[in-house]
Amino acid sequence: MAESVRQLGALMRKEFLLEWRQRYALNGMLLYIVGAVFVCYLSFSARRGLLTPIVWNTLFWIILLFTAINAIAKSFVQERAGRLLYYYTLASPQQIILSKILYNTVLMLALAGLGFIVYASVLGNPVQDVGLYVLSLVLGAIGFAVSLTLIAGIASKAENSATLMAVLSFPIVLPLLLMLLRVSKNAIDGLDRSVSWDEIGIVLAIDAIVLVLSWMLFPFLWRS
C-alpha cells in the first residue's frame, strides 16, 4: 500500500513537472479564459439588459467546458510511445489513470476558480448563494476531470484524437452539464439548498460510475 502511494505521488509529481516545463499550454488556457470573458464583455457591454442570470450562468459553463476539453485533451497526446512503454514497466495502469485524474482535477479546480473570479469581476456577480455555486464548480471540475481523462485516453489511440474526443465526450458530459446548470441556477436564484440535493446526487453518481469504469477498463486500453 505504501509503495503504491509512493508511486502515485511520483507520477503526479511528473505531471506537474511536465506542465511546468511546458508552460505555454497553461498560459494558453489562461489566455483562453480571459479572452472568452473579454469577448462576452464586449458583446453585452452595450446591452446589459440581455445578460440575464440564465445567460450569465450558461455562458460561464460553456467557457468552462471548452477550457476543460482543451486542458485535458493533451493528457495522453503529449505522451510518446517510448515513454508509455517505460511507464508500463514502472507502474500499474490503475496508478497511471489515477495520477492523471488527480492532476487534471487539481488543474480544473484552479482554472474553474480563476475563471469564476475573472468572470464575476468583469460581468458582475448575480449569485445569491455563493457557497452552493462554489460547490457546483468543485463538482463540475471533478466531473470534467474524471470523464474527460478516460475519454482522452481512448481518443489518443486514434489518429484524429481531437474529433474522436469531442464525439465520445458528448453523451457523458451532456447530462453532467445539465445537472450542473440546474444546481448553479438554484444558487443564483438563492433557493433552499435542499432543492439541489437530487442534482448533486446525480452528479456524484456520474463521477463515481466513470471513475470505476476508468479503474476497470483502462488496463485493457493500456495494454493495447
Side-chain angles (χ1 to χ4, degrees):
M1 183 65 180
E3 181 66 20
S4 299
V5 173
R6 187 185 64 81
Q7 291 181 355
L8 184 62
L11 289 171
M12 286 194 64
R13 181 173 177 272
K14 181 266 300 181
E15 295 289 341
F16 281 103
L17 286 176
L18 286 178
E19 190 67 56
W20 182 252
R21 291 175 182 175
Q22 302 173 359
R23 285 189 294 270
Y24 64 87
L26 181 59
N27 294 335
M29 288 180 284
L30 297 177
L31 180 61
Y32 175 82
I33 294 176
V34 175
V37 172
F38 184 67
V39 170
C40 292
Y41 171 76
L42 293 179
S43 301
F44 291 98
S45 59
R47 298 182 178 181
R48 280 288 182 176
L50 296 179
L51 189 60
T52 62
I54 296 178
V55 177
W56 185 94
N57 188 42
T58 305
L59 281 176
F60 175 70
W61 281 107
I62 290 175
I63 293 173
L64 192 59
L65 173 62
F66 282 96
T67 302
I69 293 176
N70 291 330
I72 300 176
K74 60 181 179 56
S75 296
F76 291 91
V77 176
Q78 66 182 2
E79 303 283 7
R80 298 179 181 178
R83 185 185 295 170
L84 292 177
L85 182 61
Y86 177 64
Y87 294 159
Y88 189 84
T89 63
L90 295 180
S92 66
Q94 287 88 351
Q95 291 174 332
I96 297 292
I97 190 66
L98 278 182
S99 65
K100 289 187 177 294
I101 287 175
L102 291 174
Y103 167 75
N104 287 329
T105 299
V106 174
L107 178 62
M108 281 308 306
L109 287 173
L111 292 176
L114 178 63
F116 177 71
I117 293 173
V118 174
Y119 192 75
S121 300
V122 175
L123 296 176
N125 183 13
V127 180
Q128 298 186 35
D129 190 346
V130 178
L132 183 59
Y133 201 90
V134 171
L135 177 61
S136 70
L137 287 181
V138 173
L139 294 176
I142 296 173
F144 289 153
V146 173
S147 57
L148 293 177
T149 300
L150 176 62
I151 295 171
I154 298 174
S156 65
K157 300 298 181 179
E159 293 183 359
N160 196 349
S161 58
T163 303
L164 183 59
M165 183 173 178
V167 174
L168 292 177
S169 62
F170 183 77
I172 298 178
V173 172
L174 183 60
L176 180 65
L177 187 61
L178 290 176
M179 293 299 105
L180 292 171
L181 283 171
R182 291 183 183 179
V183 175
S184 55
K185 179 61 170 58
N186 293 340
I188 291 177
D189 294 338
L191 300 180
D192 190 80
R193 296 185 178 183
S194 60
V195 178
S196 305
W197 290 138
D198 291 341
E199 287 80 5
I200 293 175
I202 293 175
V203 172
L204 291 175
I206 294 174
D207 293 348
I209 291 172
V210 178
L211 184 60
V212 172
L213 287 176
S214 301
W215 179 272
M216 294 174 58
L217 299 180
F218 188 74
F220 300 98
L221 179 67
W222 184 251
R223 284 194 289 268
S224 66

